[in-house]
């Protein structure tokens, strides 16, 4: 899991076990000698710090590295983060569908399930069912509930990252301000018998962007992902970290006004999502006699080569591209990724037509416009990474080691 922003030793003090673990995980220092050089700690102190990490099961020794001295000698033993000592659970909710998975700490999916879950049924029922899925997936993956160190959840609405609660979500009626963390933790316990674990919640586009940036574009300093499905949202990753804004509202481009009189699900008129989302395209197809009720239906029609769906998707892409010209000019990203139900050739063609026509050449000179690499797994992988980065952050490692008694 690379692509994280660099951290340095704690201000006013020596590097602790958490800082050493971060240096190893990031690849910036993977031998004892390199850790000494990076932190200024003595050999004995580095050894003491590492011993705690070994006893916790978080580090292991790898193969010998190259010999540092021109005089020869034994190769240095490399250190590795041991991603097998625990697992993470991840869930990704859409408006009528969900996915869940068990992942290693390094992002490998061990078991996965997808099925119908309707967010309009309310958080109590939806999160309860998700807890049931988690129990079955752990059994399938061959892991005990006690192996789980945390749960990550992607939701289709703006999330206050401090509280983990969605804030006035247009597509999640009945969820506003609900204690998602608490309910999902209880559901996990109800269906597994395990004790409570940390639960982290974020917007789906944010987690898709986080997963995609880390997996395929770790060196991209400014990365933007636009998800076009039932609604439209964007995730922004800057210097390896998700940019959320003041209270989680960053990236909500689906509610930018584009000068039409179409009524949006948020109650306003003229939102981009009301005319260019998968839901909007589905409505227009239905009005012409084509059976389509959602962005997923549009995706299937596009895959089958339906000419009407392709024409409307390209038109929607042009409308989104017009808005993205402003986004690109403001953020100057290196990668703009299109994901979601409409992320195919017709929509991408429309985006490029208007984006390159409206944005300044300076803003697009080094821009790559691409489609998703991880596909439907992007939010799951991003949710898993969010949990790992939270639990193994230097400022949290010390308290977790003390709790383990090491």
């Amino acid at each position: 899991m690379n692509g994280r922003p660099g951290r340095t030793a704690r201000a006013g003090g020596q590097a602790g076990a958490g800082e050493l673990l971060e240096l190893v995980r990031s690849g910036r220092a993977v031998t004892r000698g390199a850790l000494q050089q990076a932190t200024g700690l003595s050999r004995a102190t580095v050894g003491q710090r590492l011993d705690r990490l070994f006893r916790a099961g978080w580090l292991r020794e790898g193969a010998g590295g190259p010999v540092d001295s021109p005089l020869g000698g034994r190769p240095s033993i490399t250190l590795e983060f041991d991603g097998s000592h625990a697992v993470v659970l991840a869930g990704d909710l859409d408006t009528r569908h969900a996915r869940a998975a068990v992942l290693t700490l390094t992002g490998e999916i061990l078991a996965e399930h997808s099925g119908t879950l309707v967010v309009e049924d309310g958080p109590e029922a939806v999160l309860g069912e998700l807890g049931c899925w988690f129990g079955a997936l752990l059994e399938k993956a061959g892991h005990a509930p006690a192996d789980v160190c945390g749960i990550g959840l992607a939701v289709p609405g703006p999330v206050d990252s401090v509280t983990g609660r969605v804030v006035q979500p247009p597509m999640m009626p009945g969820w506003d301000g609900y204690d998602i963390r608490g309910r999902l933790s209880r559901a996990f316990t109800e269906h597994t018998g395990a004790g409570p674990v940390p639960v982290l919640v974020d917007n789906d586009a944010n987690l898709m962007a986080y997963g995609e940036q880390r997996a395929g574009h770790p060196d991209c300093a400014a990365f933007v992902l636009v998800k076009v499905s039932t609604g439209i949202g964007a995730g922004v990753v800057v210097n390896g970290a998700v940019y959320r804004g003041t209270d989680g509202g960053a990236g909500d481009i689906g509610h930018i006004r584009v000068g039409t009189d179409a009524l949006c699900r948020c109650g306003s008129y003229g939102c981009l999502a009301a005319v260019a989302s998968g839901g909007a395209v589905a409505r227009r197809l239905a009005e012409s006699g084509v059976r389509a009720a959602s962005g997923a239906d549009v995706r299937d029609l596009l895959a089958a080569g339906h000419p009407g769906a392709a024409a409307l998707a390209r038109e929607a892409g042009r409308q989104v591209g017009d808005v993205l010209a402003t986004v690109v000019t403001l953020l100057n990203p290196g990668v703009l990724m299109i994901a979601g139900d409409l992320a195919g050739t017709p929509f991408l063609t429309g985006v490029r037509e208007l984006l390159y026509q409206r944005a300044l050449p300076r803003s697009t000179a080094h821009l790559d416009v691409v489609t998703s690499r991880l596909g439907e797994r992007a939010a799951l992988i991003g949710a898993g990474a969010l949990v790992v980065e939270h639990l193994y952050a230097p400022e949290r490692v010390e308290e977790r080691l003390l709790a383990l008694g090491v």
Side-chain angles (χ1 to χ4, degrees):
M1 288 188 172
N2 296 320
R4 297 185 301 276
R7 297 185 180 99
T8 57
R10 66 187 69 170
Q14 291 185 330
E19 282 81 8
L20 268 61
L21 181 64
E22 174 67 14
L23 287 167
V24 173
R25 291 184 61 230
S26 66
R28 300 201 304 277
V30 296
T31 65
R32 287 169 173 81
L35 289 170
Q36 287 177 243
Q37 186 174 16
T39 62
L41 297 176
S42 69
R43 179 177 180 178
T45 302
V46 167
Q48 291 168 358
R49 303 276 199 272
L50 292 178
D51 182 61
R52 299 179 70 200
L53 297 170
F54 280 120
R55 283 188 285 141
W58 298 356
L59 280 187
R60 65 187 175 197
E61 290 186 341
V67 177
D68 296 330
S69 171
L71 301 177
R74 290 184 300 176
S76 301
I77 299 299
T78 59
L79 304 170
E80 300 173 350
F81 179 63
D82 188 347
S84 66
H85 70 269
V87 294
V88 175
L89 297 174
D92 176 20
L93 297 182
D94 207 335
T95 54
R96 305 189 64 81
H97 186 267
R99 305 181 76 86
V102 181
L103 299 93
T104 67
L105 299 184
T106 52
E108 177 188 356
I109 292 181
L110 301 176
E112 186 177 6
H113 176 73
S114 64
T116 299
L117 271 184
V118 181
V119 294
E120 290 185 356
D121 289 343
E124 188 74 20
V126 169
L127 297 175
E129 181 65 15
L130 193 58
C132 180
W133 289 10
F134 284 153
L137 282 170
L138 282 169
E139 186 174 344
K140 181 179 179 182
H143 277 273
D147 294 338
V148 177
C149 65
I151 300 173
L153 179 65
V155 298
V159 177
D160 184 329
S161 61
V162 175
T163 66
R165 300 173 187 242
V166 291
V167 182
Q168 300 177 1
M171 295 190 295
M172 301 177 70
W175 291 69
D176 186 22
Y178 184 83
D179 181 15
I180 296 174
R181 290 175 178 172
R183 176 65 182 113
L184 189 52
S185 181
R186 291 194 304 274
F188 169 69
T189 298
E190 290 165 5
H191 291 285
T192 64
V197 295
V199 176
L200 276 70
V201 185
D202 207 339
N203 171 262
D204 54 358
N206 283 348
L207 292 180
M208 291 174 69
Y210 196 43
E212 293 277 9
Q213 187 269 341
R214 291 165 65 87
H217 307 274
D219 298 323
C220 181
F223 178 95
V224 176
L225 178 143
V226 179
K227 178 187 179 184
V228 187
S229 291
T230 301
I232 301 176
V236 180
V237 179
V238 177
N239 293 328
V242 176
Y243 178 75
R244 299 182 176 88
T246 300
D247 60 4
D252 205 0
I253 65 170
H255 301 287
I256 292 175
R257 305 295 174 84
V258 292
T260 76
D261 59 359
L263 177 63
C264 182
R265 294 184 63 165
C266 73
S268 298
Y269 290 88
C271 294
L272 179 65
V275 295
S277 65
V281 172
R283 285 193 296 274
R284 293 187 63 182
L285 286 168
E287 290 168 359
S288 68
V290 179
R291 295 185 63 179
S294 66
D297 292 335
V298 178
R299 178 193 62 208
D300 294 341
L301 289 167
L302 290 171
H306 190 283
L312 288 175
R314 181 168 179 172
E315 181 183 339
R318 288 172 58 85
Q319 292 167 312
V320 172
D322 196 10
V323 170
L324 290 179
T326 301
V327 173
V328 166
T329 301
L330 178 66
L331 297 178
N332 189 211
V335 175
L336 172 63
M337 178 173 285
I338 307 299
D341 292 330
L342 265 60
T345 299
F347 186 87
L348 192 64
T349 299
V351 167
R352 285 177 166 148
E353 285 175 359
L354 262 288
L355 173 62
Y356 288 105
Q357 177 183 326
R358 299 291 171 84
L360 292 172
R362 173 69 183 81
S363 300
T364 58
H366 303 288
L367 175 69
D368 289 330
V369 182
V370 299
T371 54
S372 171
R373 171 182 173 179
L374 300 177
E376 295 181 334
R377 292 178 162 181
L380 292 175
I381 292 172
L386 185 73
V387 172
V388 172
E389 292 306 317
H390 173 79
L391 292 178
Y392 295 91
E395 62 271 18
R396 203 158 286 106
V397 163
E398 185 64 31
E399 64 186 60
R400 294 187 65 213
L401 288 175
L402 289 173
L404 290 171
V406 299

